[in-house]
Amino acid sequence: MTDNILEISNLSKSYGDFSLDNISFSLPKGYIMGLIGPNGAGKTTIIKSIMNLIMKQNGDIKIFGKDLSKFEIEIKKRIGFVYDTPNYYEHINLKQLKNTIAPFYENWDDDIFYNLVERFELPLNKKLKNFSKGMYMKSSIILALSHNAEFIIMDEPTSGLDPVVRRELLDFFKELIQDENKSILFSSHITTDIEQIADYITYIAKGKLVFSETKDDIFERYSMVKGGNDLLNEETKKCFVAIRSNDYGFEALSDDVINTRNIFGDDVIYQRATLEDIMFFTNLKNKSNN
Amino acid sequence: MKQLILKDFRANWQYLLMSFGVLFTISTLFIYSMLEYQGRADPDLILYFLQVMMTSIFFSLLFFKVDEMYNTNEIFVSLPVSRSQIVKARYVNTVVYVFIAIIIHFAGSQFGIFIHNGSQNSELILLYNPSLWGFVFLSALIIGAYSMPFYFKFGINKGVLVVFVIHFLFVVFVITLIINMNGLWSDVQKALMSIIKISNTILIYSYISIVMLVVLISTLISVKIYKNKEI
């Protein structure tokens, strides 16, 4: 029995001028994976492929160790999903929505549903068309969790939310993962959210996998380096993913801190790279390669 | 699949009630005005049955329309159901809706007669012919069946347009044939008369079989289309 809750191998999909190119990564059971990348990088395409909303051209997707194409219904019984824009019937209220969705799940638990409704202070009898984006997203999360889903897939759940609701949801996700039987795949272009809660990070850029590693490994490997322009030459530039310089000096991202330290020693300043730095400089590299 | 069938009625009962109210009113007004202005039923009753058929099938698109309006496909395809079940449930719902719509139309016609006090009109006897209502029901199913693959392929708004264009081209084609081919219309009439002379039982069973076959083929095509559809 595999310990990976999700295994994606060589996933490919093309649409006109965009293509998802042989993406492979896996998520062990009981962890949160953040799927990051700029807008249009392919995050939603990956999530839609996992949910079988779009037809992959190549590759395999296994969830709970089972092939999605063969065991779709069985797998979906154990998945909770939250989409960027949850599209529900807006003419009904949350209670009616629950009555529409709940019968599809054998493991639906009304106690969980009503407890979460109370926790998030959502009105049961207000029509969904009068819900704010935050209330909509909370409703979607409640529906995703009320059938005891073991794997929760969320596409940009925090985008467009005000900071208070975002913080509230992130805290809730952290609590949620205390249950070791639950795993979360969480896509976002808000890197600070991912930094706060993810154990694994998968970075997609222009349909290609840049990396899929533990957060700790990523922050050990990557570093921001700042120093004078006189230190840069053809050889030293090779240490960096990309460099940004001005009259006062340079700022660069290194993906091999040990090697960079060997070359520059204490002549430069080393700072912890944030996910935003990693995304920005990787994007800069891609642009200069094109 | 049971839950997919029920969810359309469970979540959209307000729209359903509204649509049934509209159908009831159409039938009441149609029959009332027919009795009021002409005092006789024929030939307006043929038009009446035509509108029963067309409005019943038109309003059965409600389920497609509401799902498209709120873009709920993404949610329902993500639930633990297969795409094939989603399509089949939609077909079942359409049949159920058309059946209820025809009953509502009948009730509306009776209300029109009641408020006009026109029950003495002998021409109205056609309204009490169950075979005619059955024919209207089956004909509505045929129209629905050949249209539905277009709705699954293009969505309801584009799909209705495509079906309308097909109807229009068909009518133009038939008219062109009649104008340009001497004797074709009389041949068609002769063929229709010879069909009518066949025993009613054979006609009814043949028509039911044709409708079932068309619905079955339509379902298979729609399943194939929807299985490959990107949501």
Side-chain angles (χ1 to χ4, degrees):
Chain A
M1 183 92 179
T2 174
D3 282 338
N4 286 332
I5 206 141
L6 171 70
E7 287 173 72
I8 292 182
S9 327
N10 303 314
L11 178 65
S12 299
K13 171 77 188 170
S14 296
Y15 298 103
D17 58 349
F18 169 79
S19 67
L20 201 61
D21 192 12
N22 279 317
I23 302 288
S24 301
F25 63 87
S26 57
L27 171 64
K29 188 177 171 184
Y31 291 95
I32 298 184
M33 175 179 276
L35 190 57
I36 59 166
N39 287 331
K43 303 184 296 291
T44 298
T45 305
I46 291 173
I47 285 183
K48 283 192 164 187
S49 301
I50 295 171
M51 292 310 295
N52 216 10
L53 297 177
I54 57 171
M55 307 298 135
K56 60 185 164 59
Q57 277 150 343
N58 279 307
D60 294 314
I61 298 174
K62 283 186 180 176
I63 303 174
F64 309 117
K66 291 179 177 174
D67 189 336
L68 177 68
S69 55
K70 290 180 186 152
F71 299 95
E72 186 183 349
I73 297 180
E74 194 184 317
I75 288 169
K76 283 183 174 174
K77 283 179 185 172
R78 298 163 67 189
I79 289 182
F81 56 88
V82 177
Y83 295 133
D84 174 15
T85 316
N87 295 306
Y88 298 123
Y89 297 122
E90 291 183 0
H91 58 281
I92 59 177
N93 59 39
L94 185 55
K95 193 173 181 182
Q96 290 167 323
L97 180 64
K98 190 266 299 182
N99 290 338
T100 306
I101 301 289
F104 287 94
Y105 294 101
E106 291 156 11
N107 290 335
W108 184 273
D109 189 333
D110 264 355
D111 289 341
I112 297 177
F113 175 83
Y114 287 112
N115 284 338
L116 289 175
V117 166
E118 203 177 310
R119 173 181 172 152
F120 286 132
E121 296 174 338
L122 289 177
L124 278 169
N125 296 316
K126 187 175 181 177
K127 284 192 177 173
L128 297 177
K129 68 179 172 192
N130 298 321
F131 272 28
S132 65
K133 166 111 194 198
M135 289 160 87
Y136 232 118
M137 198 48 83
K138 285 173 181 173
S139 307
S140 194
I141 290 166
I142 292 173
L143 290 170
L145 295 173
S146 297
H147 61 278
N148 288 300
E150 294 156 62
F151 182 31
I152 297 136
I153 296 173
M154 296 188 281
D155 188 13
E156 306 272 4
T158 52
S159 74
L161 299 181
D162 68 63
V164 176
V165 176
R166 252 181 64 209
R167 187 61 186 262
E168 190 184 2
L169 288 183
L170 290 172
D171 287 345
F172 177 69
F173 297 151
K174 280 184 211 163
E175 265 177 52
L176 197 65
I177 210 65
Q178 301 305 313
D179 177 352
E180 289 179 0
N181 288 318
K182 291 201 191 305
S183 309
I184 297 178
L185 177 68
F186 173 1
S187 91
S188 181
H189 61 273
I190 307 173
T191 51
T192 47
D193 290 352
I194 300 281
E195 277 186 46
Q196 278 189 59
I197 65 164
D199 304 300
Y200 284 78
I201 294 167
T202 296
Y203 176 27
I204 310 285
K206 291 192 171 176
K208 290 187 169 56
L209 181 74
V210 180
F211 56 72
S212 182
E213 297 171 47
T214 65
K215 187 168 70 181
D216 294 343
D217 285 348
I218 290 163
F219 289 131
E220 259 177 41
R221 192 154 62 86
Y222 284 96
S223 175
M224 287 301 296
V225 179
K226 290 176 182 174
N229 287 328
D230 56 313
L231 296 169
L232 290 177
N233 57 44
E234 288 310 307
E235 273 309 302
T236 54
K237 278 182 181 175
K238 287 178 186 169
C239 296
F240 302 118
V241 173
I243 303 164
R244 194 168 65 160
S245 59
N246 57 29
D247 293 344
Y248 303 103
F250 76 89
E251 183 184 37
L253 176 74
S254 162
D255 61 356
D256 187 347
V257 182
I258 296 169
N259 184 40
T260 309
R261 277 189 188 277
N262 286 338
I263 291 170
F264 290 98
D266 292 333
D267 296 338
V268 291
I269 298 166
Y270 300 94
Q271 283 177 344
R272 182 183 178 273
T274 62
L275 283 177
E276 192 174 312
D277 293 329
I278 296 170
M279 274 174 68
F280 176 78
F281 282 93
T282 309
N283 194 40
L284 207 61
K285 180 189 172 188
N286 287 341
K287 273 186 187 168
S288 63
N289 285 348
N290 285 340
Chain B
M1 196 168 95
K2 188 178 122 197
Q3 295 309 330
L4 280 168
I5 296 168
L6 291 177
K7 71 100 179 152
D8 274 344
F9 293 96
R10 200 180 267 142
N12 300 320
W13 62 270
Q14 288 156 311
Y15 286 114
L16 282 173
L17 282 183
M18 225 185 296
S19 74
F20 289 144
V22 172
L23 294 179
F24 185 91
T25 310
I26 289 173
S27 262
T28 301
L29 291 178
F30 201 107
I31 294 293
Y32 184 90
S33 62
M34 197 175 75
L35 294 170
E36 180 76 10
Y37 296 112
Q38 295 202 344
R40 56 197 289 270
D42 186 55
D44 286 2
L45 266 185
I46 302 301
L47 282 179
Y48 172 72
F49 280 109
L50 195 64
Q51 76 77 19
V52 167
M53 186 169 70
M54 297 313 292
T55 51
S56 299
I57 200 65
F58 179 75
F59 277 89
S60 74
L61 302 181
L62 176 90
F63 299 124
F64 276 102
K65 185 67 194 168
V66 175
D67 277 0
E68 196 162 295
M69 187 163 70
Y70 295 119
N71 199 15
T72 55
N73 276 335
E74 195 174 66
I75 300 296
F76 291 109
V77 172
S78 303
L79 293 173
V81 290
S82 69
R83 291 191 181 209
S84 157
Q85 288 173 326
I86 292 175
V87 173
K88 287 173 189 166
R90 183 51 48 85
Y91 272 78
V92 171
N93 284 349
T94 302
V95 173
V96 171
Y97 183 93
V98 171
F99 185 76
I100 298 172
I102 284 181
I103 292 172
I104 298 286
H105 268 302
F106 179 75
S109 73
Q110 296 310 297
F111 188 63
I113 292 167
F114 171 75
I115 56 176
H116 193 272
N117 198 19
S119 58
Q120 304 306 315
N121 194 321
S122 59
E123 297 287 352
L124 290 177
I125 197 161
L126 273 179
L127 277 179
Y128 304 100
N129 182 345
S131 303
L132 196 53
W133 286 98
F135 175 77
V136 169
F137 172 64
L138 293 173
S139 303
L141 292 189
I142 284 211
I143 295 172
Y146 79 71
S147 308
M148 279 174 75
F150 293 104
Y151 305 147
F152 279 106
K153 175 78 183 171
F154 301 110
I156 192 69
N157 293 333
K158 274 191 199 163
V160 166
L161 196 67
V162 171
V163 170
F164 176 79
V165 169
I166 290 171
H167 283 177
F168 179 75
L169 292 177
F170 179 73
V171 170
V172 170
F173 175 71
V174 170
I175 292 172
T176 313
L177 271 185
I178 291 169
I179 291 171
N180 293 309
M181 296 183 71
N182 290 336
L184 179 73
W185 183 234
S186 60
D187 288 345
V188 171
Q189 280 180 315
K190 275 179 203 165
L192 283 175
M193 289 312 289
S194 57
I195 291 171
I196 289 167
K197 279 177 193 163
I198 302 171
S199 91
N200 273 352
T201 318
I202 295 176
L203 268 182
I204 289 167
Y205 283 113
S206 305
Y207 196 49
I208 291 173
S209 307
I210 290 169
V211 172
M212 285 172 70
L213 188 68
V214 172
V215 171
L216 181 71
I217 293 170
S218 167
T219 311
L220 293 175
I221 294 171
S222 295
V223 166
K224 197 171 177 188
I225 289 170
Y226 201 63
K227 271 187 173 175
N228 294 313
K229 188 165 184 169
E230 310 243 306
I231 307 289

